[in-house]
Amino acid sequence: MPPLPDGSAFLSWLRTPRPGSPPGIWRFGHRPRPEEEPEETPTRQLLSGALIAFLVGWLFWSLLRNGYLGRWWGVPLFLLTPDSWHAGENETRDLIVYEGYNLLVGLGIMAVVGRLGRWGEVWRRFVVPLYRRPQPQQAAPEPEDDPAQWNHLRAAGAHAAADRLAAEARSGLMRDVDHSRISRAWEGVRNGRHALSTFTDEVLKDGAAACPHPSGARDLPVRQARHDLLTGQVRIGRNADDPRNPYAYRGTGLALSPELLGTSLLAVGPAGSGKTGALVRPLAESLCLHALAGRAAVVVVGPAGAGLGPDDAYDVVVRIGDPQSVYDLDLYGGATDPDEAALVLAEALAGDLTDPHPGSDSRRSTTVLAQLLGPFRAVHGRFPSVPELRGLLDGAPGPLAALRQALRDAGQEALLRELDARERQLGQPGDVGGTLADRVALLDRPAFASFFDTSGQSRPFSLKALDHPVRVRIDLPERGHADASRMLARLVLAQFTASVATRRDRSLFACLVLDDAAGVVTPEAVRGIQRLRSAGAGLVLTLRTLDDVPRPLRGPLLGATGCRVALSGLTPWDGQDFAEVWGKEWTEARDVTDRQIIAETPAGKVVHGIRRVITGKAPTARAVTVRQVERERWSASELAHGVPAGHAVLSLTTVTGEHAPPLLVDLRG
């Protein structure tokens, strides 16, 4: 029989301290640092000062012992000892008294010179590390403070469930995902969504496998990043030990969590800078783990073959353009209201054609689509397929006449007026029907013939499913269908922002990860991003350059996202936008001025001449001016040329308003 599994690794993970820290710091085993950097004497100056202090003390002691400074230092001994001791009759007593007094004086001199020479700091910095013992293993905490005892369940009366879970943890049958999932279920009991008896019965029956995810999975097939589900963090790098980083952040791990992603994240960097491998992949992996724990719903959108995780890590994989795809994409986002469907579809088809100023919208396109979708659904009980929608938008007489006759037969007089209005607008100046038809034609291709079906014969995925902890990956056919891919990305973003606003359970964090958002940012998309924070949702966007965003929308986009990442290789023009949004700060500037010294006496001129011959420079006097100035936190030039390869500069903001200044991070650490 194989040995039973050991739960020591899980218990050690669970009992590791996670102190509170500023936003973005990896809390697992973190040791807080002071806010301000302590003043530290340079090594050369410290050692030379300690040596000089020792030599001075030794010289002073030698002069005292040999009588060069007189015998005044022995006066206290003669005053405090009897006169009979001064005769020198008892050699042992004299040795003890006089040598002891000499030792006391020597120790006093050593204490004074040791304080002046900072011997204590030398000991702490150079001697103590040589004899520092390894940290002992973490001892088991008291039962009342042990998180593995599930004391919050015991306090509510669920002693049997707590005993079962504690036994599962000790035996090694519990994982971090199980702990997070059961804690999430207990939160539902406390909030009144679930009954205590139901929770207890399920725990007693299944133990650590209780309250399972609908897929039945208890972990991902593979993990490539470091995760801490107790705090919800995923580690993505290490804060550089750089003077531009606050001292409390230097050398610490950098991590992201749902409380940061709830303000949305924008990452900008050229190809190969690490957007997908160092940011998107770890975040997608972390959100999938949160989904298995019942805490999040995630939709990951990217080009096919981008390496966003294996198929087994997702519940739904939609491969648009691949005939082998099991799932389809709902073109109308699961909407039943024609006006809602028209609003979302208009954003996808013509969102990038609207005026790129923040106040613009796609109202005209929405009206055209609503004039067709409403009558069609009233007649057929469904929305039109891609070929049917293209025929209606083209204004072909056959489809419009058939729809008109069907409306007359059904007695839909109000919808007939909608169709009449659409026919009057055909061919008029400013009509966007032809443009919409051209955009729909991008989807009416042989590669997409089996997709976007509205007859009920396929398995379409709708973003209305974000009420549940679902894991979804959508592969876009970027190769050969770049325009269609950008249009589908806008469609998914529009459906996401519309769906999360109507969810009932906003404690379930919903996140859309959009790798390569070129051509996706529109005025309506920016307004949707601004509403995500209050809806318990977030968005992750990556761009190769801010030039992929219309110029009037760059400022609003950077302002709508709370977490901003500038990767190495950024252009100075992109760096200027980041420098403006990060603003300026007050800093201390030191101006050093060297002024030549003019000798006025013959002896001074001789000394200056000798000094000039030895050093090769004229004698100067240095003047230092210290003043407070306001400077950019990171300038455009520094962002373009001062960020090393594999590094990034990012600022963070939590949903509660806490923020971290721009930090230089090593994404490979």
Side-chain angles (χ1 to χ4, degrees):
M1 294 291 293
L4 293 175
D6 184 11
S8 59
F10 172 77
L11 293 177
S12 176
W13 168 82
L14 186 60
R15 292 166 177 168
T16 299
R18 296 165 174 84
S21 60
I25 289 183
W26 175 252
R27 292 174 54 190
F28 182 79
H30 171 63
R31 294 183 179 181
R33 306 180 68 180
E35 293 293 333
E36 299 293 336
E37 181 179 6
E39 295 185 4
E40 187 176 86
T41 307
T43 301
R44 180 177 179 181
Q45 179 180 347
L46 181 64
L47 295 178
S48 61
L51 178 61
I52 292 173
F54 171 75
L55 295 177
V56 170
W58 185 21
L59 175 62
F60 186 71
W61 171 246
S62 298
L63 294 177
L64 286 180
R65 288 281 294 174
N66 294 303
Y68 289 102
L69 300 180
R71 293 293 178 178
W72 55 269
W73 58 281
V75 172
L77 178 63
F78 289 100
L79 294 178
L80 296 176
T81 56
D83 294 339
S84 60
W85 292 13
H86 302 164
E89 298 175 354
N90 192 332
E91 295 182 0
T92 303
R93 181 190 61 197
D94 295 342
L95 178 64
I96 295 174
V97 173
Y98 288 103
E99 293 302 327
Y101 181 74
N102 291 338
L103 177 62
L104 183 63
V105 173
L107 291 176
I109 295 175
M110 183 181 296
V112 174
V113 298
R115 186 175 181 85
L116 294 176
R118 301 179 182 178
W119 290 1
E121 187 174 351
V122 173
W123 177 268
R124 290 190 299 271
R125 287 176 56 179
F126 302 103
V127 180
V128 171
L130 300 177
Y131 298 95
R132 182 173 294 170
R133 297 180 179 179
Q135 295 291 335
Q137 294 184 354
Q138 183 180 0
E142 297 296 329
E144 59 272 10
D145 299 328
D146 190 358
Q149 295 298 323
W150 298 83
N151 292 318
H152 51 289
L153 271 68
R154 302 180 191 275
H159 295 277
D163 293 338
R164 176 65 187 277
L165 293 175
E168 297 273 298
R170 289 192 300 270
S171 61
L173 300 177
M174 182 176 289
R175 312 171 187 176
D176 55 352
V177 178
D178 299 330
H179 182 277
S180 182
R181 186 185 64 252
I182 295 173
S183 299
R184 168 70 177 179
W186 177 250
E187 292 176 5
V189 174
R190 293 180 55 190
N191 295 334
R193 293 196 302 267
H194 310 296
L196 177 60
S197 58
T198 304
F199 172 82
T200 304
D201 294 342
E202 193 164 349
V203 170
L204 292 177
K205 176 185 176 183
D206 299 326
C211 312
H213 185 265
S215 66
R218 297 172 59 186
D219 204 348
L220 297 179
V222 63
R223 298 189 188 187
Q224 293 187 354
R226 293 185 60 187
H227 304 273
D228 184 21
L229 292 182
L230 203 60
T231 58
Q233 293 183 316
V234 53
R235 179 164 175 157
I236 64 170
R238 186 179 184 87
N239 292 301
D241 191 3
D242 189 272
R244 289 170 291 192
N245 286 348
Y247 183 73
Y249 282 89
R250 295 179 195 171
T252 62
L254 184 85
L256 297 176
S257 61
E259 67 176 2
L260 292 169
L261 299 181
T263 62
S264 298
L265 182 144
L266 173 65
V268 182
S273 59
K275 297 189 300 298
T276 301
L279 281 177
V280 175
R281 175 66 187 269
L283 288 177
E285 193 174 276
S286 175
L287 292 168
C288 286
L289 288 173
H290 284 292
L292 291 178
R295 297 180 177 272
V298 56
V299 179
V300 181
V301 182
L308 300 178
D311 295 351
D312 296 341
Y314 296 92
D315 304 315
V316 176
V317 178
V318 182
R319 299 185 180 92
I320 301 177
D322 186 354
Q324 304 299 324
S325 179
V326 178
Y327 291 91
D328 191 4
L329 181 64
D330 191 340
L331 189 64
Y332 302 97
T336 56
D337 182 15
D339 293 331
E340 179 184 354
L343 179 63
V344 173
L345 191 58
E347 172 64 16
L349 296 178
D352 59 329
L353 299 179
T354 59
D355 189 358
H357 287 82
S360 304
D361 54 32
S362 54
R363 192 173 305 169
R364 295 171 59 190
S365 302
T366 303
T367 302
V368 170
L369 289 171
Q371 290 171 345
L372 297 174
L373 296 182
F376 192 95
R377 181 174 178 80
V379 171
H380 300 281
R382 61 176 177 84
F383 289 119
S385 62
V386 170
E388 293 170 336
L389 181 60
R390 180 184 180 184
L392 293 173
L393 289 172
D394 276 333
L400 290 177
L403 181 58
R404 175 181 294 276
Q405 184 61 40
L407 288 173
R408 287 175 179 170
D409 296 341
Q412 298 285 350
E413 298 296 334
L415 295 177
L416 273 173
R417 290 194 294 270
E418 291 284 332
L419 196 59
D420 292 338
R422 173 85 284 268
E423 291 181 342
R424 286 195 301 270
Q425 295 171 2
L426 287 174
Q428 298 294 326
D431 180 34
V432 297
T435 303
L436 294 175
D438 293 340
R439 288 300 180 90
V440 174
L442 296 175
L443 303 179
D444 190 16
R445 307 296 301 166
F448 308 131
S450 59
F451 287 86
F452 317 117
D453 181 64
T454 59
S455 62
Q457 299 179 0
S458 63
R459 301 178 63 183
F461 168 75
S462 169
L463 270 75
K464 294 290 185 180
L466 295 181
D467 281 328
H468 310 283
V470 63
R471 302 167 295 166
V472 183
R473 193 189 76 201
I474 302 177
D475 294 342
L476 300 178
E478 184 176 354
R479 185 173 300 176
H481 302 278
D483 293 336
S485 295
R486 286 192 288 268
M487 189 166 60
L488 291 173
R490 288 196 300 271
L491 175 66
V492 174
L493 177 57
Q495 292 182 359
F496 178 80
T497 55
S499 299
V500 296
T502 58
R503 292 187 307 156
R504 295 180 180 179
D505 184 12
R506 296 192 175 183
S507 64
L508 184 71
F509 179 69
C511 187
L512 173 63
V513 181
L514 190 54
D515 193 18
D516 192 4
V520 177
V521 180
T522 64
E524 186 61 34
V526 173
R527 285 192 289 268
I529 295 173
Q530 294 170 345
R531 295 190 295 264
L532 291 179
R533 184 184 303 190
S534 60
L539 178 66
V540 177
L541 295 173
T542 66
L543 292 169
R544 291 188 177 92
T545 173
L546 286 176
D547 289 337
D548 293 334
V549 179
R551 184 66 198 178
L553 294 179
R554 295 180 194 175
L557 175 63
L558 289 170
T561 53
C563 303
R564 312 172 188 98
V565 184
L567 291 99
S568 61
L570 212 65
T571 64
W573 299 274
D574 290 345
Q576 184 63 41
D577 292 320
F578 278 98
E580 291 178 359
V581 75
W582 281 332
K584 301 180 179 181
E585 63 178 346
W586 288 99
T587 183
E588 187 179 87
R590 299 171 63 89
D591 296 333
V592 180
T593 304
D594 289 335
R595 178 180 57 85
Q596 184 176 355
I597 302 176
I598 305 300
E600 299 180 355
T601 61
K605 294 180 179 180
V606 172
V607 172
H608 285 187
I610 296 175
R611 183 175 176 181
R612 185 181 294 106
V613 171
I614 295 175
T615 63
K617 298 180 180 179
T620 58
R622 175 169 294 182
V624 180
T625 303
V626 180
R627 54 194 177 92
Q628 294 290 328
V629 296
E630 191 178 20
R631 290 181 178 174
E632 292 178 327
R633 299 178 185 269
W634 280 83
S635 67
S637 178
E638 289 175 333
L639 290 173
H641 308 292
V643 180
H647 289 63
V649 180
L650 75 164
S651 61
L652 304 172
T653 305
T654 66
V655 292
T656 58
E658 297 182 74
H659 64 277
L663 305 169
L664 179 62
V665 180
D666 184 1
L667 299 177
R668 303 166 298 186

